[in-house]
Structure formats: structure tokens, C-alpha cells
Amino acid sequence: MKCQLVGYSNAEFTNKDTGEVTKSVHLHFVRKPKLSENGVQGMVTNHCVVYGENIAKLPALDVGGNYDCDINSYRGKDYLNDCVKL
């Protein structure tokens, strides 16, 4: 689905048990509602987090840029399967 990147932030956290540092990128997209989403007015926001080695697979991040994203929603969380800059 076509989305627009409206913001992102980089973060990292340390596992207290192992001391391992993991990097993450939080991505915020907006998109038009799907036909199956009844009662939605305006745009729909998706928040996805990408961890570790998968960060290198992301395209260049440009706030306001358009992307073709494959996002799955499961139990209230959004998961980014693929993202291509348009």
C-alpha cells in the first residue's frame, strides 16, 4: 500500500542480562483507509519498529517521502514486511 513517511526516530537499548546493545528505528506512516475500514475519516497512521540487521534493508528515509509498504497488523501491532521508496 502507498504510504507517506511523516516521521522516524533512531533508538538503542541494552539488554540488562547480556549487555548486548540493539539498535532500532521507529517509523510513522500515514495512508488512506482501506475499503474494509468502515467509519474512518481522514488518514490512518501506522507505527512500525525495525530492529538490528533489518535496519540496513530499509530504503533512504525521507520525511514527507512516499513509500510502498507491506504492513501487517497483528494483535494491535503493525509489522513492516517490506518498504520501497517511490
Side-chain angles (χ1 to χ4, degrees):
M1 81 185 85
K2 293 181 182 176
C3 301
Q4 182 180 25
L5 182 67
V6 293
Y8 70 92
S9 62
N10 296 312
E12 60 182 42
F13 58 92
T14 304
N15 185 322
K16 292 181 182 179
D17 297 331
T18 64
E20 182 180 336
V21 176
T22 303
K23 294 184 178 185
S24 65
V25 177
H26 297 253
L27 303 167
H28 304 278
F29 294 102
V30 293
R31 62 173 173 80
K32 292 182 180 178
K34 299 175 187 174
L35 294 175
S36 62
E37 295 173 321
N38 297 327
V40 177
Q41 296 179 351
M43 302 296 271
V44 176
T45 304
N46 290 96
H47 170 254
C48 303
V49 182
V50 179
Y51 296 100
E53 301 162 356
N54 293 325
I55 295 172
K57 296 177 184 177
L58 290 173
L61 299 177
D62 178 29
V63 174
N66 293 319
Y67 294 83
D68 185 15
C69 298
D70 180 16
I71 299 174
N72 285 345
S73 295
Y74 180 71
R75 294 189 178 190
K77 290 190 177 183
D78 296 323
Y79 297 94
L80 183 66
N81 296 328
D82 190 27
C83 184
V84 177
K85 189 171 183 178
L86 299 176

